[in-house]
Amino acid sequence: MKRFSNPISLFFAVFILWTLVGVVGKLAFLAVYASTIDGICASDWWEVIWHGLVLDVAIAGYLTIIPALIIIASLWWRHMAIDWFWKGYFAITAFVSALAYVVNVALYGFWGFPLDNTPLLYIKTSPKDAMASITTGQMIGGLIAISLVTVLIYLLFIRSLTKPFLLTSKGLRQISQREGCIILRKSLFSEKKYIASLPLGGPGWATILLLLLTASLIIPIRGGFGAGTNHTGTVYYSSNIRLCHAAVNPIFCFVESVTHAENIKDRYRFMDDKEATEIVDELTYTELSASPVGRIAFWGDKQPKNVVVIMLESFSRYIMTEGGHVKGITPNLDRYTSEGIYFKNFYANSFRTDRAIVSILSGLPAQPTMSLMDIPHKSTALPSIASAMGRAGYSSTFYYGGDTNYSNMKSYLMGTGFQNVVSDKDFPRELHTGKWGVADGPVYQRILKDMSSADKTKKHLRVVMSESSHEPFDVPFKSHIKDPVLNAFFYADKCLGDFVEGMKKLPDWDNTLVLIVPDHLGAYPEKIDNYALWRYEIPMIILGGQIPQLVWMSIGCQSDIPATLLGILGIEHREFPFSKDLLDGKAPHFAFFTFPDAVGMVTEENVLIYDNALNKTVLDEGSEKGQNQKKAQAYLQKLYDKIAEL
């Protein structure tokens, strides 16, 4: 490729090459995921590149600013440091770009959305646990890919562009001016003649022109002259969401999510506050009568001594026999649907564990592009079932076989009323058999031991987050199932069954309530469609010695658990405005969920998913289509109002 020596040409060459890097990144993404995009054809490749170009040139604009300043400096400052700055800048930006493009390709297959700040949230709080999902082979392959792409991008710039060399005072210089050119020869490093062509008039005019060009980079950066500016949704052009994701520049998406992470108050403004408030008021109901008329009471005026909440990592209806996709993977979970109250029309609020925990324990619906757990000053201000039950005389313990510092989990738990937290550090080293820490079996055994030795005159809340069904699925168990993912689920279900059957053998089973709920669908099936309703379908089951056998058809979601559980216990739940008692016939029943950057709502009349970036409804089914759009938008808007107040 021709080397560019004129500083103006050099400026444009840098901009064009960065744009080219973005285009090649899209081609690489499509090469990996084209087989997963239904009906893709040759023209789609071109459209992805064309529509995504606006963000590629925006990133090119950002990344051209510093090279432009280096070029300007090289016109006036003749020092070898210029060469160091030039090479150093492209070495750093090549690495950062390679990291973004490779990680985007690697993670998309698992998460189904472009690179945003989600990995950063996990890495910065607990690097060890963040890496636990990655196998050694994946890590080595990823490092090799990042290194290779870094070298390729670096060489693209260094080999294609004439670096802004200028000689040190120790070098031999012969400078002559001919028709606006400066000839520099015999540098300290080479005998080769270098020519740096300047526009007629010398470095002064070149500097002015370069400054004007640098200032003009604001045009591609902001996306033109209109009132609106570039954002990730700018490139969304197709009803096929994967094509839109392919068009997204992962560097832009990441930077946007990071810079907007704290912009809570102004996010998701769909309508004026009065209208949103009126809509949401019809969707909330927090009344609790002294004697729960219209609800089901199991212990009369008493409360169960033992309350156990089991959160199952990555389980869903999809892997249950009832779902019909696979069979024999969850025999215990299948069986328990007929031994207690089975909430059949139940949904996850989100796609990640940290979001799910906050929904389940604090009744706060998950947010599309942020994790409240990772903002300790807000997450610790939330109510929780631990604090509410604590006021009613329950002690509380949270059990997890991994590191509870992950994603600020421990600060959230302790800040919201949990009195004790049992984690990987509380188990012998020999029980740390997986990358995430201690497998489900020993954790459940620890809980059974604690229940057996506990003071029977006191009331206890115990919450456990399982982890064995999380990638990389390195469970200490091999079944007849060859698929390592399904084997891990089979093991997790076996441990669940052993735990529940163990509780049944305790003398106070009749005084025990057990609530079982997954955190989110994950890992299976391999290709998760984030815009399909089954992606959010999960079971919820309530068991216990006094719990009847019922199939409960009311629609609900994880954020309804606090009101439902506290309602059974006869405990006030007004502090959970987004939580509804599913057993209360007077409460409105619906499910709400989010995903980057989409929001969904399920009612009997309408199932709707609205993509905020695409500004379009991507799923709309039922007898009253479109009915839930304003409801979902108002709900999301008031949710962010609530978070801003924390």
Side-chain angles (χ1 to χ4, degrees), residues 332-379:
N332 292 294
L333 193 61
D334 293 338
R335 177 160 49 92
Y336 294 140
T337 61
S338 61
E339 290 189 7
I341 305 176
Y342 173 38
F343 295 83
K344 190 166 185 176
N345 295 314
F346 198 77
Y347 298 84
N349 276 124
S350 186
F351 69 105
R352 297 297 293 176
T353 301
D354 50 349
R355 274 88 155 171
I357 289 176
V358 174
S359 294
I360 293 168
L361 301 182
S362 292
L364 191 78
Q367 308 85 56
T369 57
M370 60 180 272
S371 171
L372 198 63
M373 186 184 283
D374 203 57
I375 311 175
H377 71 278
K378 289 186 176 290
S379 66

Short mmCIF file of all heavy atoms in Angstrom, two decimals, residues 332-379:
data_model
loop_
_atom_site.label_atom_id
_atom_site.label_comp_id
_atom_site.label_asym_id
_atom_site.label_seq_id
_atom_site.Cartn_x
_atom_site.Cartn_y
_atom_site.Cartn_z
N ASN A 332 -36.55 -34.28 39.29
CA ASN A 332 -37.00 -33.79 40.60
C ASN A 332 -37.82 -32.51 40.45
O ASN A 332 -38.89 -32.37 41.06
CB ASN A 332 -35.80 -33.56 41.51
CG ASN A 332 -35.12 -34.85 41.89
OD1 ASN A 332 -35.69 -35.68 42.60
ND2 ASN A 332 -33.90 -35.04 41.41
N LEU A 333 -37.33 -31.58 39.65
CA LEU A 333 -38.08 -30.35 39.43
C LEU A 333 -39.42 -30.66 38.79
O LEU A 333 -40.45 -30.06 39.15
CB LEU A 333 -37.26 -29.40 38.55
CG LEU A 333 -37.75 -27.95 38.46
CD1 LEU A 333 -37.74 -27.29 39.82
CD2 LEU A 333 -36.89 -27.15 37.48
N ASP A 334 -39.44 -31.61 37.86
CA ASP A 334 -40.69 -32.03 37.24
C ASP A 334 -41.66 -32.56 38.30
O ASP A 334 -42.85 -32.23 38.30
CB ASP A 334 -40.44 -33.13 36.20
CG ASP A 334 -39.65 -32.62 35.00
OD1 ASP A 334 -39.66 -31.41 34.75
OD2 ASP A 334 -39.02 -33.45 34.32
N ARG A 335 -41.14 -33.38 39.20
CA ARG A 335 -41.99 -34.01 40.22
C ARG A 335 -42.56 -32.99 41.19
O ARG A 335 -43.72 -33.08 41.60
CB ARG A 335 -41.15 -35.06 40.96
CG ARG A 335 -41.87 -35.75 42.11
CD ARG A 335 -41.16 -37.07 42.44
NE ARG A 335 -39.73 -36.85 42.58
CZ ARG A 335 -39.12 -36.58 43.76
NH1 ARG A 335 -39.84 -36.46 44.85
NH2 ARG A 335 -37.81 -36.44 43.81
N TYR A 336 -41.77 -31.99 41.53
CA TYR A 336 -42.22 -31.02 42.53
C TYR A 336 -43.31 -30.09 41.99
O TYR A 336 -44.01 -29.44 42.77
CB TYR A 336 -41.03 -30.21 43.05
CG TYR A 336 -40.04 -31.05 43.82
CD1 TYR A 336 -38.67 -30.85 43.69
CD2 TYR A 336 -40.48 -32.06 44.68
CE1 TYR A 336 -37.76 -31.63 44.40
CE2 TYR A 336 -39.58 -32.85 45.38
CZ TYR A 336 -38.22 -32.63 45.23
OH TYR A 336 -37.33 -33.41 45.92
N THR A 337 -43.48 -30.04 40.67
CA THR A 337 -44.57 -29.23 40.13
C THR A 337 -45.94 -29.78 40.54
O THR A 337 -46.94 -29.05 40.51
CB THR A 337 -44.50 -29.16 38.59
OG1 THR A 337 -44.62 -30.47 38.05
CG2 THR A 337 -43.19 -28.52 38.14
N SER A 338 -45.99 -31.05 40.93
CA SER A 338 -47.26 -31.67 41.34
C SER A 338 -47.33 -31.92 42.84
O SER A 338 -48.27 -32.55 43.32
CB SER A 338 -47.47 -32.99 40.59
OG SER A 338 -46.44 -33.91 40.89
N GLU A 339 -46.33 -31.44 43.58
CA GLU A 339 -46.32 -31.65 45.03
C GLU A 339 -46.63 -30.38 45.81
O GLU A 339 -46.72 -30.42 47.03
CB GLU A 339 -44.97 -32.21 45.48
CG GLU A 339 -44.72 -33.63 45.03
CD GLU A 339 -43.47 -34.23 45.66
OE1 GLU A 339 -42.89 -33.58 46.57
OE2 GLU A 339 -43.09 -35.34 45.27
N GLY A 340 -46.76 -29.26 45.14
CA GLY A 340 -47.04 -28.01 45.83
C GLY A 340 -47.79 -27.07 44.90
O GLY A 340 -48.55 -27.52 44.03
N ILE A 341 -47.58 -25.79 45.07
CA ILE A 341 -48.20 -24.80 44.18
C ILE A 341 -47.24 -24.55 43.03
O ILE A 341 -46.11 -24.08 43.23
CB ILE A 341 -48.49 -23.49 44.91
CG1 ILE A 341 -49.35 -23.73 46.15
CG2 ILE A 341 -49.23 -22.52 43.97
CD1 ILE A 341 -49.59 -22.48 46.97
N TYR A 342 -47.67 -24.87 41.85
CA TYR A 342 -46.85 -24.68 40.65
C TYR A 342 -47.38 -23.48 39.89
O TYR A 342 -48.51 -23.49 39.40
CB TYR A 342 -46.88 -25.94 39.79
CG TYR A 342 -46.21 -25.80 38.44
CD1 TYR A 342 -45.04 -25.06 38.29
CD2 TYR A 342 -46.75 -26.42 37.31
CE1 TYR A 342 -44.43 -24.93 37.06
CE2 TYR A 342 -46.14 -26.31 36.07
CZ TYR A 342 -44.98 -25.56 35.96
OH TYR A 342 -44.37 -25.44 34.73
N PHE A 343 -46.56 -22.43 39.81
CA PHE A 343 -46.93 -21.22 39.06
C PHE A 343 -46.49 -21.43 37.61
O PHE A 343 -45.32 -21.29 37.27
CB PHE A 343 -46.25 -20.00 39.68
CG PHE A 343 -46.73 -19.70 41.08
CD1 PHE A 343 -46.19 -20.37 42.17
CD2 PHE A 343 -47.73 -18.77 41.30
CE1 PHE A 343 -46.64 -20.11 43.45
CE2 PHE A 343 -48.19 -18.50 42.58
CZ PHE A 343 -47.64 -19.18 43.67
N LYS A 344 -47.46 -21.75 36.80
CA LYS A 344 -47.15 -22.21 35.44
C LYS A 344 -46.85 -21.06 34.49
O LYS A 344 -46.06 -21.21 33.56
CB LYS A 344 -48.33 -23.03 34.91
CG LYS A 344 -48.03 -23.76 33.62
CD LYS A 344 -49.09 -24.80 33.32
CE LYS A 344 -48.72 -25.61 32.09
NZ LYS A 344 -49.68 -26.71 31.84
N ASN A 345 -47.48 -19.92 34.69
CA ASN A 345 -47.27 -18.77 33.80
C ASN A 345 -46.34 -17.76 34.46
O ASN A 345 -46.74 -16.65 34.80
CB ASN A 345 -48.61 -18.13 33.45
CG ASN A 345 -49.50 -19.06 32.65
OD1 ASN A 345 -49.05 -19.69 31.69
ND2 ASN A 345 -50.76 -19.16 33.04
N PHE A 346 -45.12 -18.19 34.65
CA PHE A 346 -44.16 -17.40 35.42
C PHE A 346 -42.94 -17.09 34.54
O PHE A 346 -42.54 -17.91 33.71
CB PHE A 346 -43.73 -18.19 36.66
CG PHE A 346 -43.09 -17.34 37.72
CD1 PHE A 346 -43.86 -16.55 38.55
CD2 PHE A 346 -41.72 -17.33 37.89
CE1 PHE A 346 -43.29 -15.76 39.53
CE2 PHE A 346 -41.14 -16.56 38.87
CZ PHE A 346 -41.92 -15.76 39.70
N TYR A 347 -42.36 -15.90 34.77
CA TYR A 347 -41.30 -15.41 33.87
C TYR A 347 -40.13 -14.82 34.65
O TYR A 347 -40.30 -14.25 35.74
CB TYR A 347 -41.87 -14.35 32.92
CG TYR A 347 -42.96 -14.89 32.02
CD1 TYR A 347 -44.27 -14.96 32.46
CD2 TYR A 347 -42.65 -15.36 30.75
CE1 TYR A 347 -45.27 -15.47 31.65
CE2 TYR A 347 -43.65 -15.88 29.93
CZ TYR A 347 -44.96 -15.93 30.38
OH TYR A 347 -45.94 -16.45 29.58
N ALA A 348 -38.96 -14.94 34.06
CA ALA A 348 -37.77 -14.28 34.60
C ALA A 348 -37.82 -12.80 34.25
O ALA A 348 -38.36 -12.42 33.21
CB ALA A 348 -36.50 -14.91 34.02
N ASN A 349 -37.25 -11.97 35.10
CA ASN A 349 -37.21 -10.53 34.84
C ASN A 349 -36.06 -10.14 33.92
O ASN A 349 -36.06 -9.04 33.37
CB ASN A 349 -37.06 -9.75 36.14
CG ASN A 349 -38.39 -9.51 36.82
OD1 ASN A 349 -38.58 -9.87 37.97
ND2 ASN A 349 -39.33 -8.89 36.12
N SER A 350 -35.07 -11.04 33.77
CA SER A 350 -33.89 -10.63 33.03
C SER A 350 -33.12 -11.83 32.53
O SER A 350 -33.65 -12.94 32.45
CB SER A 350 -33.02 -9.72 33.91
OG SER A 350 -31.94 -9.19 33.17
N PHE A 351 -31.86 -11.61 32.24
CA PHE A 351 -31.01 -12.60 31.58
C PHE A 351 -29.74 -12.93 32.36
O PHE A 351 -28.96 -13.76 31.93
CB PHE A 351 -30.59 -12.07 30.20
CG PHE A 351 -29.64 -10.89 30.27
CD1 PHE A 351 -28.30 -11.04 29.98
CD2 PHE A 351 -30.10 -9.64 30.68
CE1 PHE A 351 -27.43 -9.97 30.07
CE2 PHE A 351 -29.24 -8.57 30.75
CZ PHE A 351 -27.90 -8.72 30.45
N ARG A 352 -29.52 -12.27 33.52
CA ARG A 352 -28.30 -12.50 34.29
C ARG A 352 -28.64 -12.67 35.76
O ARG A 352 -29.64 -12.16 36.27
CB ARG A 352 -27.30 -11.33 34.13
CG ARG A 352 -26.80 -11.12 32.73
CD ARG A 352 -26.02 -12.30 32.20
NE ARG A 352 -24.77 -12.51 32.90
CZ ARG A 352 -23.94 -13.52 32.65
NH1 ARG A 352 -24.26 -14.42 31.75
NH2 ARG A 352 -22.82 -13.64 33.31
N THR A 353 -27.74 -13.35 36.46
CA THR A 353 -27.98 -13.70 37.86
C THR A 353 -28.08 -12.47 38.75
O THR A 353 -28.95 -12.41 39.64
CB THR A 353 -26.86 -14.62 38.37
OG1 THR A 353 -26.81 -15.80 37.56
CG2 THR A 353 -27.08 -15.01 39.82
N ASP A 354 -27.19 -11.50 38.56
CA ASP A 354 -27.20 -10.34 39.46
C ASP A 354 -28.52 -9.57 39.35
O ASP A 354 -29.04 -9.06 40.35
CB ASP A 354 -26.01 -9.42 39.19
CG ASP A 354 -25.86 -9.07 37.73
OD1 ASP A 354 -26.53 -9.68 36.88
OD2 ASP A 354 -25.05 -8.17 37.42
N ARG A 355 -29.07 -9.47 38.15
CA ARG A 355 -30.37 -8.83 37.99
C ARG A 355 -31.47 -9.66 38.66
O ARG A 355 -32.38 -9.12 39.30
CB ARG A 355 -30.72 -8.68 36.51
CG ARG A 355 -30.19 -7.43 35.86
CD ARG A 355 -28.81 -7.62 35.31
NE ARG A 355 -28.55 -6.67 34.22
CZ ARG A 355 -27.36 -6.49 33.68
NH1 ARG A 355 -26.32 -7.16 34.13
NH2 ARG A 355 -27.20 -5.63 32.68
N ALA A 356 -31.39 -10.99 38.49
CA ALA A 356 -32.42 -11.87 39.02
C ALA A 356 -32.46 -11.83 40.54
O ALA A 356 -33.54 -11.82 41.15
CB ALA A 356 -32.18 -13.30 38.54
N ILE A 357 -31.30 -11.82 41.17
CA ILE A 357 -31.26 -11.82 42.63
C ILE A 357 -31.96 -10.59 43.19
O ILE A 357 -32.74 -10.68 44.15
CB ILE A 357 -29.80 -11.89 43.12
CG1 ILE A 357 -29.22 -13.28 42.84
CG2 ILE A 357 -29.71 -11.58 44.61
CD1 ILE A 357 -27.75 -13.42 43.21
N VAL A 358 -31.71 -9.44 42.58
CA VAL A 358 -32.36 -8.21 43.05
C VAL A 358 -33.87 -8.29 42.82
O VAL A 358 -34.66 -7.85 43.65
CB VAL A 358 -31.75 -6.99 42.34
CG1 VAL A 358 -32.52 -5.72 42.70
CG2 VAL A 358 -30.28 -6.83 42.73
N SER A 359 -34.29 -8.85 41.70
CA SER A 359 -35.72 -8.99 41.43
C SER A 359 -36.38 -9.92 42.45
O SER A 359 -37.45 -9.61 42.99
CB SER A 359 -35.95 -9.54 40.02
OG SER A 359 -35.52 -8.63 39.04
N ILE A 360 -35.76 -11.06 42.70
CA ILE A 360 -36.34 -12.07 43.59
C ILE A 360 -36.36 -11.61 45.04
O ILE A 360 -37.36 -11.79 45.74
CB ILE A 360 -35.56 -13.39 43.46
CG1 ILE A 360 -35.76 -14.00 42.06
CG2 ILE A 360 -35.98 -14.39 44.54
CD1 ILE A 360 -34.82 -15.15 41.75
N LEU A 361 -35.29 -11.01 45.49
CA LEU A 361 -35.18 -10.67 46.90
C LEU A 361 -35.69 -9.27 47.23
O LEU A 361 -36.12 -9.02 48.36
CB LEU A 361 -33.72 -10.80 47.36
CG LEU A 361 -33.08 -12.18 47.20
CD1 LEU A 361 -31.66 -12.17 47.75
CD2 LEU A 361 -33.92 -13.25 47.88
N SER A 362 -35.63 -8.35 46.26
CA SER A 362 -36.04 -6.97 46.53
C SER A 362 -37.27 -6.53 45.74
O SER A 362 -37.73 -5.40 45.90
CB SER A 362 -34.88 -6.01 46.24
OG SER A 362 -33.84 -6.18 47.17
N GLY A 363 -37.76 -7.39 44.86
CA GLY A 363 -38.97 -7.05 44.12
C GLY A 363 -38.79 -5.91 43.13
O GLY A 363 -39.77 -5.28 42.74
N LEU A 364 -37.56 -5.67 42.73
CA LEU A 364 -37.30 -4.59 41.78
C LEU A 364 -37.04 -5.19 40.40
O LEU A 364 -36.09 -5.94 40.22
CB LEU A 364 -36.09 -3.76 42.22
CG LEU A 364 -35.90 -2.46 41.42
CD1 LEU A 364 -36.89 -1.40 41.91
CD2 LEU A 364 -34.48 -1.94 41.55
N PRO A 365 -37.87 -4.88 39.42
CA PRO A 365 -37.65 -5.43 38.08
C PRO A 365 -36.27 -5.07 37.54
O PRO A 365 -35.71 -4.02 37.87
CB PRO A 365 -38.76 -4.76 37.24
CG PRO A 365 -39.81 -4.40 38.24
CD PRO A 365 -39.08 -4.03 39.49
N ALA A 366 -35.73 -5.94 36.72
CA ALA A 366 -34.40 -5.73 36.15
C ALA A 366 -34.43 -4.61 35.14
O ALA A 366 -35.47 -4.28 34.55
CB ALA A 366 -33.91 -7.02 35.49
N GLN A 367 -33.27 -3.99 34.92
CA GLN A 367 -33.14 -2.89 33.98
C GLN A 367 -32.47 -3.37 32.70
O GLN A 367 -31.67 -4.31 32.73
CB GLN A 367 -32.32 -1.76 34.60
CG GLN A 367 -32.82 -1.29 35.96
CD GLN A 367 -32.28 -2.14 37.11
OE1 GLN A 367 -31.09 -2.29 37.26
NE2 GLN A 367 -33.17 -2.69 37.92
N PRO A 368 -32.74 -2.73 31.57
CA PRO A 368 -32.22 -3.22 30.30
C PRO A 368 -30.70 -3.17 30.17
O PRO A 368 -30.09 -4.10 29.66
CB PRO A 368 -32.87 -2.29 29.26
CG PRO A 368 -34.07 -1.74 29.94
CD PRO A 368 -33.70 -1.63 31.39
N THR A 369 -30.06 -2.08 30.61
CA THR A 369 -28.64 -1.89 30.29
C THR A 369 -27.78 -1.62 31.51
O THR A 369 -26.67 -1.11 31.38
CB THR A 369 -28.48 -0.72 29.30
OG1 THR A 369 -29.05 0.47 29.87
CG2 THR A 369 -29.15 -1.03 27.98
N MET A 370 -28.24 -1.95 32.69
CA MET A 370 -27.44 -1.74 33.88
C MET A 370 -27.78 -2.79 34.92
O MET A 370 -28.81 -3.45 34.84
CB MET A 370 -27.67 -0.34 34.47
CG MET A 370 -29.11 -0.07 34.86
SD MET A 370 -29.37 1.59 35.55
CE MET A 370 -29.02 1.29 37.26
N SER A 371 -26.87 -2.95 35.87
CA SER A 371 -27.09 -3.86 36.98
C SER A 371 -27.06 -3.06 38.27
O SER A 371 -26.02 -2.53 38.65
CB SER A 371 -26.01 -4.95 37.01
OG SER A 371 -26.10 -5.70 38.20
N LEU A 372 -28.19 -2.97 38.93
CA LEU A 372 -28.26 -2.15 40.14
C LEU A 372 -27.39 -2.72 41.26
O LEU A 372 -26.87 -1.98 42.09
CB LEU A 372 -29.71 -2.04 40.62
CG LEU A 372 -29.99 -0.89 41.59
CD1 LEU A 372 -29.72 0.45 40.92
CD2 LEU A 372 -31.41 -0.95 42.10
N MET A 373 -27.19 -4.03 41.25
CA MET A 373 -26.34 -4.63 42.27
C MET A 373 -24.92 -4.08 42.21
O MET A 373 -24.22 -4.04 43.22
CB MET A 373 -26.31 -6.16 42.11
CG MET A 373 -25.56 -6.87 43.23
SD MET A 373 -25.41 -8.65 42.97
CE MET A 373 -27.06 -9.16 43.42
N ASP A 374 -24.52 -3.65 41.04
CA ASP A 374 -23.16 -3.14 40.88
C ASP A 374 -23.04 -1.66 41.28
O ASP A 374 -21.99 -1.06 41.09
CB ASP A 374 -22.70 -3.32 39.43
CG ASP A 374 -21.20 -3.34 39.31
OD1 ASP A 374 -20.59 -4.19 39.98
OD2 ASP A 374 -20.64 -2.52 38.57
N ILE A 375 -24.12 -1.09 41.79
CA ILE A 375 -24.10 0.30 42.28
C ILE A 375 -24.43 0.23 43.77
O ILE A 375 -25.59 0.42 44.17
CB ILE A 375 -25.09 1.19 41.53
CG1 ILE A 375 -24.92 1.02 40.02
CG2 ILE A 375 -24.90 2.66 41.91
CD1 ILE A 375 -25.94 1.79 39.20
N PRO A 376 -23.46 -0.07 44.61
CA PRO A 376 -23.74 -0.34 46.02
C PRO A 376 -24.51 0.76 46.75
O PRO A 376 -25.35 0.46 47.60
CB PRO A 376 -22.34 -0.53 46.62
CG PRO A 376 -21.50 -0.99 45.48
CD PRO A 376 -22.03 -0.26 44.29
N HIS A 377 -24.26 2.02 46.41
CA HIS A 377 -24.94 3.07 47.14
C HIS A 377 -26.44 3.09 46.86
O HIS A 377 -27.21 3.66 47.63
CB HIS A 377 -24.32 4.44 46.83
CG HIS A 377 -24.59 4.96 45.46
ND1 HIS A 377 -23.85 4.55 44.36
CD2 HIS A 377 -25.53 5.83 44.97
CE1 HIS A 377 -24.30 5.18 43.28
NE2 HIS A 377 -25.32 5.95 43.62
N LYS A 378 -26.86 2.44 45.78
CA LYS A 378 -28.28 2.33 45.48
C LYS A 378 -28.82 0.96 45.86
O LYS A 378 -29.92 0.85 46.41
CB LYS A 378 -28.55 2.61 44.00
CG LYS A 378 -28.38 4.08 43.61
CD LYS A 378 -28.80 4.33 42.18
CE LYS A 378 -28.73 5.81 41.84
NZ LYS A 378 -29.76 6.61 42.54
N SER A 379 -28.08 -0.09 45.56
CA SER A 379 -28.59 -1.44 45.84
C SER A 379 -28.78 -1.68 47.33
O SER A 379 -29.71 -2.38 47.75
CB SER A 379 -27.64 -2.49 45.26
OG SER A 379 -26.39 -2.48 45.92
#
